[in-house]
Amino acid sequence: ERDLPYFTRVIENNTGIIHKIRQELSRIRPQNLRKVKGVRDGEDLNIEKTVSYLIDRKVGVVPDEAIYEQRQRVERDVATLFLVDMSASTDDIIENSNSEKGGSSLNINGKRIIDVEKEAVSLLSEVLDELGDAYSICGFSGYGREQIDYYRCKGFDKPMNDDSRAKLGGLKPCRSTRMGPSIRHAISELVATGSRTKS
């Protein structure tokens, strides 16, 4: 099923939480290094910039002091796969939540488990889109060892468009919890991304 208004409501009602998530996730440091020339401090002298600096001094011109090279971390190399439990038990209502004690401003009391899962993934996906990280959103359920349902709302190679948002909003409790095969399949998809940091 598809439910695009669900995703839109979650984003509009939780702007404060999105801000906090953005702060936390931006602390994950990029892994890739790139050599940047022409900086004022660095590990190595850049030959071309240093020669230009010396020539300018000889002829009486104010030289450019940005003669160093740095290795700067400039790209995030992070891939995340969200695996949403869609078993029948996620239709249960959460009662007497102590979420305020844990410092969370997300009110989960009286909501179904599946709704809390979907809200969390919706908020995280909004921030990951801003950061440019690769991510995938899938749901799973099953009945016995031979019938495993694996739903892909968004793949690593697809944008988070209205179709993906509607699929996420439409996730509903289905059958039993059959985690093993779904987790193994999710891990194989995550490994295939080749990203350095995977979660």
Side-chain angles (χ1 to χ4, degrees), residues 19 34 46 59 64 78 87 89 91-92 107 110 116 153 159 185:
H19 177 69
R34 185 178 69 184
N46 177 268
V59 297
D64 182 3
V78 180
S87 58
S89 61
D91 202 26
D92 292 346
N107 181 17
V116 175
C153 299
H185 187 70

Side-chain angles (χ1 to χ4, degrees), residues 29-134:
R29 299 198 174 177
Q31 300 297 320
N32 293 347
L33 299 175
R34 185 178 69 184
K35 190 179 284 187
V36 178
K37 301 176 181 179
V39 293
R40 290 183 174 267
D41 283 318
E43 302 89 25
D44 301 310
L45 286 171
N46 177 268
I47 299 297
E48 297 161 10
K49 298 281 187 182
T50 304
V51 169
S52 295
Y53 175 87
L54 293 172
I55 291 171
D56 287 346
R57 281 193 64 177
K58 283 277 190 190
V59 297
V61 177
V62 176
D64 182 3
E65 295 182 357
I67 59 173
Y68 293 94
E69 293 179 354
Q70 279 184 354
R71 286 182 177 80
Q72 294 181 352
R73 298 181 188 277
V74 292
E75 295 176 13
R76 293 169 56 89
D77 191 12
V78 180
T80 304
L81 190 145
F82 298 103
L83 193 55
V84 179
D85 180 4
M86 296 170 59
S87 58
S89 61
T90 63
D91 202 26
D92 292 346
I93 302 293
I94 300 170
E95 302 280 351
N96 300 322
S97 168
N98 291 325
S99 61
E100 295 302 320
K101 291 181 182 176
S104 170
S105 55
L106 184 64
N107 181 17
I108 62 175
N109 192 34
K111 293 182 180 177
R112 297 180 307 161
I113 295 168
I114 188 84
D115 293 323
V116 175
E117 290 183 278
K118 294 191 313 185
E119 283 183 16
V121 173
S122 299
L123 299 175
L124 285 163
S125 70
E126 188 75 2
V127 175
L128 291 177
D129 261 348
E130 292 175 16
L131 294 174
D133 288 356

Side-chain angles (χ1 to χ4, degrees), residues 136-155:
S136 179
I137 302 170
C138 303
F140 75 95
S141 181
Y143 186 74
R145 57 182 299 174
E146 300 299 329
Q147 186 178 343
I148 311 300
D149 297 323
Y150 192 86
Y151 304 93
R152 184 173 289 108
C153 299
K154 178 197 175 301

Side-chain angles (χ1 to χ4, degrees), residues 143-191:
Y143 186 74
R145 57 182 299 174
E146 300 299 329
Q147 186 178 343
I148 311 300
D149 297 323
Y150 192 86
Y151 304 93
R152 184 173 289 108
C153 299
K154 178 197 175 301
F156 286 110
D157 58 340
K158 302 290 184 189
M160 187 62 165
N161 54 24
D162 283 348
D163 184 53
S164 300
R165 294 181 183 106
K167 286 179 182 176
L168 174 58
L171 292 181
K172 305 238 184 278
C174 298
R175 298 182 181 88
S176 302
T177 307
R178 192 73 188 175
M179 289 191 279
S182 302
I183 290 172
R184 286 193 292 275
H185 187 70
I187 289 171
S188 68
E189 287 193 324
L190 196 52
V191 168

Side-chain angles (χ1 to χ4, degrees), residues 12-41:
E12 288 175 352
N13 295 336
N14 294 285
T15 54
I17 295 174
I18 290 173
H19 177 69
K20 290 178 185 176
I21 294 170
R22 187 183 299 116
Q23 285 179 320
E24 290 299 320
L25 291 184
S26 40
R27 291 181 185 174
I28 299 174
R29 299 198 174 177
Q31 300 297 320
N32 293 347
L33 299 175
R34 185 178 69 184
K35 190 179 284 187
V36 178
K37 301 176 181 179
V39 293
R40 290 183 174 267
D41 283 318

